[in-house]
Amino acid sequence: MIMIKAVYAGTFDPITNGHLDMIKRALALFDEVHVVIFDNPVKATLFSIDERLAMIHEATKDLQHIIIAASDKLAVEYCEEVGAKVLVRGIRATNDYHYESMMAYSNKFLDENIEEVFLMTRLDYTFVSSSAIKEIASHHRDVSTLVPDCVNKALKEKYHS
């Protein structure tokens, strides 16, 4: 039996319900999904890698066949390391498509053996991004329906202290 491993890479600062939806949908398609924090040096983050790992662990505690990690490698290098053949990416709108297609071409240049699978975001989550969540929460507005409970609590601690 062939086991197909996939990698869902992101900054996850913080993880949102949109991310969780992507993870669950990827788990329905692949035998094992690695959710991997890759720090983007261009992005300023609110939460440390350890905080983000803890939130992802808590938010996905009821899911099986999931590996949670952080890496400073390129996504294709991480895929090679763990034997994954697929990178999963979510697309919310045309702006995401443009960015993600450029990344896919770059990844294909680096490793012809890695395939990218794009999942369209559910309509309910098209406006949900980690950046939007942080901005809304920083103004002390309710984001509880957009993020897991552990993230909502962490955002309140960051912005209310």
Side-chain angles (χ1 to χ4, degrees), residues 93-106:
T94 55
N95 289 347
D96 281 353
Y97 175 78
H98 177 53
Y99 173 79
E100 294 297 344
S101 64
M102 292 289 106
M103 290 299 298
Y105 296 136
S106 296

Side-chain angles (χ1 to χ4, degrees), residues 3 6 16 25 35 43 69 95 98-100 106 112 114 118-119 122 126 134-135 149:
M3 181 178 193
T16 70
R25 291 166 60 200
V35 178
K43 289 184 179 181
N95 289 347
H98 177 53
Y99 173 79
E100 294 297 344
S106 296
E112 279 285 327
I114 305 296
F118 299 104
L119 298 176
R122 292 191 193 281
T126 53
K134 290 184 285 193
E135 184 173 353
D149 290 339

Side-chain angles (χ1 to χ4, degrees), residues 14-67:
I15 189 168
T16 70
N17 288 344
H19 292 131
L20 286 176
D21 181 58
M22 286 290 155
I23 293 166
K24 290 173 186 173
R25 291 166 60 200
L27 284 167
L29 297 171
F30 304 105
D31 300 305
E32 182 177 278
V33 175
H34 291 246
V35 178
V36 186
I37 296 171
F38 288 94
D39 250 351
N40 183 338
V42 177
K43 289 184 179 181
T45 57
L46 177 64
F47 296 101
S48 71
I49 288 179
D50 288 340
E51 289 172 315
R52 287 180 273 161
L53 285 168
M55 285 186 280
I56 295 169
H57 276 286
E58 177 64 22
T60 61
K61 67 184 176 196
D62 295 329
L63 301 178
Q64 295 182 356
H65 309 289
I66 183 172
I67 308 291

Side-chain angles (χ1 to χ4, degrees), residues 72-125:
D72 60 358
K73 298 178 182 198
L74 293 171
V76 294
E77 292 173 333
Y78 182 88
C79 286
E80 291 168 3
E81 184 179 289
V82 300
K85 297 293 182 200
V86 178
L87 275 167
V88 174
R89 302 297 296 164
I91 296 181
R92 290 176 296 220
T94 55
N95 289 347
D96 281 353
Y97 175 78
H98 177 53
Y99 173 79
E100 294 297 344
S101 64
M102 292 289 106
M103 290 299 298
Y105 296 136
S106 296
N107 288 334
K108 192 55 98 174
F109 170 78
L110 293 169
D111 190 331
E112 279 285 327
N113 298 312
I114 305 296
E115 293 296 337
E116 302 236 4
V117 172
F118 299 104
L119 298 176
M120 293 301 298
T121 302
R122 292 191 193 281
L123 192 56
D124 295 352
Y125 301 124

